[in-house]
Amino acid sequence: MMEVFESINFYTLDKAIRTYRMYSQKQLKANGCKISVDQWLIVKCVLENSGISQQEIAAKVFKDNASVTRIIELLVKSNYLERLIHPKDRRKSHLKVTASGKLIIEKVYELVLQNRRTALQGIAQNDLEILNATLKKIIENCTS
């Protein structure tokens, strides 16, 4: 007999992640932030990793290259990112976070922290450490 969805750990994990992302996006909108969770992640990724390529961004934010390209186009149009011609190879471009991009990262960061506090409310620190260790072990099992 096959197990029901709700008893499968990976189903519950995926549901928790999706629920958290929907909650986070709803909070962004409710607080007047004109940026999506995915857009914020990409701006933050570029800010923290100067000179990062689109392929590297895609790997860091778990998105395919086509999605990252579309999101970057929106971020350039929204003036959160600037695309500069690569100084040594004109076929490549370099992404730079604009002043507006830095402001939105700062503005949204407090909301991100609040979202995390809400999501983790009532969960003991020890339980979070066990969860983190367990998730890292699953990643290790699936990448070795």
Side-chain angles (χ1 to χ4, degrees):
M1 184 169 122
M2 290 183 67
E3 58 210 330
V4 294
F5 279 137
E6 286 77 15
S7 69
I8 301 171
N9 291 331
F10 291 104
Y11 172 81
T12 305
L13 178 62
D14 192 39
K15 184 175 181 180
I17 292 167
R18 290 172 190 262
T19 303
Y20 176 74
R21 286 179 67 85
M22 287 189 304
Y23 173 79
S24 295
Q25 191 61 56
K26 186 174 160 186
Q27 293 304 309
L28 285 172
K29 188 174 182 180
N31 284 275
C33 299
K34 303 215 181 309
I35 193 167
S36 71
V37 171
D38 289 335
Q39 289 171 338
W40 187 82
L41 286 171
I42 289 176
V43 174
K44 189 168 183 345
C45 186
V46 172
L47 188 61
E48 293 176 355
N49 301 279
S50 180
I52 192 169
S53 71
Q54 281 193 214
Q55 291 80 11
E56 292 168 323
I57 293 169
K60 281 193 177 287
V61 299
F62 310 111
K63 295 281 178 202
D64 61 86
N65 287 335
S67 294
V68 169
T69 298
R70 283 191 301 275
I71 293 169
I72 287 171
E73 286 303 318
L74 290 171
L75 291 167
V76 169
K77 286 179 185 173
S78 299
N79 195 35
Y80 294 141
L81 287 181
E82 184 178 9
R83 185 177 283 119
L84 306 168
I85 301 299
H86 191 282
K88 295 180 182 171
D89 185 348
R90 297 188 61 74
R91 296 169 295 172
K92 294 181 181 179
S93 62
H94 173 76
L95 295 171
K96 180 182 173 200
V97 179
T98 64
S100 297
K102 290 176 184 174
L103 283 174
I104 196 73
I105 289 296
E106 291 174 17
K107 178 181 179 183
V108 172
Y109 187 63
E110 279 304 313
L111 191 55
V112 167
L113 294 178
Q114 180 58 45
N115 291 345
R116 289 178 192 165
R117 283 191 292 271
T118 299
L120 299 175
Q121 186 176 334
I123 302 172
Q125 183 62 36
N126 186 53
D127 291 339
L128 292 173
E129 290 168 8
I130 292 168
L131 173 62
N132 197 34
T134 303
L135 294 173
K136 286 180 178 179
K137 183 63 178 166
I138 291 169
I139 293 166
E140 180 186 316
N141 290 345
C142 293
T143 55
S144 54

